[in-house]
Amino acid sequence: MTQALPKLLTFNEFIEWYPNDGKRYELHRGVIIEMPPPSGAHEKFVAFLSRKLTVEFDRLNLPYGIPKTAFIQTPSAESAYSPDVLLLNLDNLDNEPLFQKQSTVSQAASVPIVIEVVSSNWRDDYYNKLGDYEEMGIPEYWIADYAALGARKFIGNPKQPTIFVCELVDGEYQMTPFQGNTAILSPTFPQLNLTAQQIFNAAN
């Protein structure tokens, strides 16, 4: 007997389905994924990064903001991600057809930086989301692996807490790892005075 393949959802079907049950969901290539509840360490990490970035764009008087919840719709429209930290260019939101009603962006011009904090489903951040954000043309993507969950080919053997700053160069991400007391080099915020270890300490 042939088993029927599960129906893949479109982005619009996902948004229409999305329940108000207090849980977080993403759409990964047409499949609904329930996101596990974040740990306290994860939330402290996100709060610290959000504060540091907010201080920097406020100092530079840039038209940026960090929403509580918002989706990035990928170019293929088969995925919708809710990043841990999403830096929005507020000046471009009038050009986003889905933002007003669905808090969703789909243009790289709206996203100066996106940050994913690695959890148990680390392959999503290192492979799927990296590829989708790259295809979308988001200029800067951070993979923040404070718990050293990723593969050894990325973070070393033995594994070390690592932050990757992925900069879009000629349409492809160039991944630069930062560990220990190495200062983070951000293309968007070149004067950001922050080391990898300072960020890791926020989760403790």
Side-chain angles (χ1 to χ4, degrees):
M1 187 175 74
T2 303
Q3 186 174 0
L5 294 172
K7 180 182 180 296
L8 299 180
L9 269 67
T10 65
F11 172 79
N12 286 336
E13 289 171 334
F14 169 69
I15 290 296
E16 289 174 8
W17 163 87
Y18 204 98
N20 186 18
D21 60 3
K23 298 178 181 178
R24 290 176 59 234
Y25 302 90
E26 292 185 340
L27 187 67
H28 292 205
R29 289 163 172 73
V31 177
I32 295 171
I33 303 293
E34 181 181 344
M35 308 306 290
S39 67
H42 179 283
E43 292 298 87
K44 286 165 66 179
F45 193 89
V46 167
F48 179 81
L49 276 177
S50 298
R51 179 167 64 92
K52 289 296 184 180
L53 292 179
T54 300
V55 167
E56 192 65 8
F57 68 68
D58 191 52
R59 182 182 71 83
L60 296 169
N61 198 29
L62 293 169
Y64 293 168
I66 298 176
K68 182 175 181 289
T69 53
F71 284 113
I72 293 180
Q73 179 193 17
T74 62
S76 60
E78 293 176 343
S79 296
Y81 301 132
S82 181
D84 291 302
V85 180
L86 173 58
L87 186 63
L88 290 179
N89 178 357
L90 306 180
D91 281 355
N92 195 62
L93 295 184
D94 286 345
N95 301 320
E96 289 282 2
L98 302 174
F99 190 79
Q100 200 61 34
K101 287 188 176 181
Q102 298 167 334
S103 188
T104 298
V105 295
S106 58
Q107 301 171 13
S110 298
V111 187
I113 295 179
V114 61
I115 299 175
E116 297 286 2
V117 180
V118 178
S119 53
S120 56
N121 53 347
W122 60 268
R123 288 177 178 83
D124 287 340
D125 303 319
Y126 279 96
Y127 293 108
N128 299 340
K129 292 181 181 180
L130 183 140
D132 287 343
Y133 294 153
E134 181 182 70
E135 180 192 6
M136 187 173 167
I138 292 174
E140 187 172 341
Y141 168 40
W142 291 24
I143 302 172
D145 196 348
Y146 75 90
L149 297 172
R152 291 177 179 86
K153 65 181 176 181
F154 292 115
I155 61 175
N157 187 13
K159 295 183 177 184
Q160 299 290 323
T162 307
I163 293 175
F164 287 93
V165 174
C166 308
E167 180 183 6
L168 197 70
V169 179
D170 296 331
E172 297 181 3
Y173 277 142
Q174 305 297 316
M175 297 176 66
T176 303
F178 297 93
Q179 299 175 336
N181 292 317
T182 307
I184 301 291
L185 297 178
S186 165
T188 304
F189 298 118
Q191 293 177 291
L192 185 68
N193 186 18
L194 198 59
T195 68
Q197 193 60 49
Q198 285 175 305
I199 301 175
F200 300 144
N201 289 344
N204 296 331

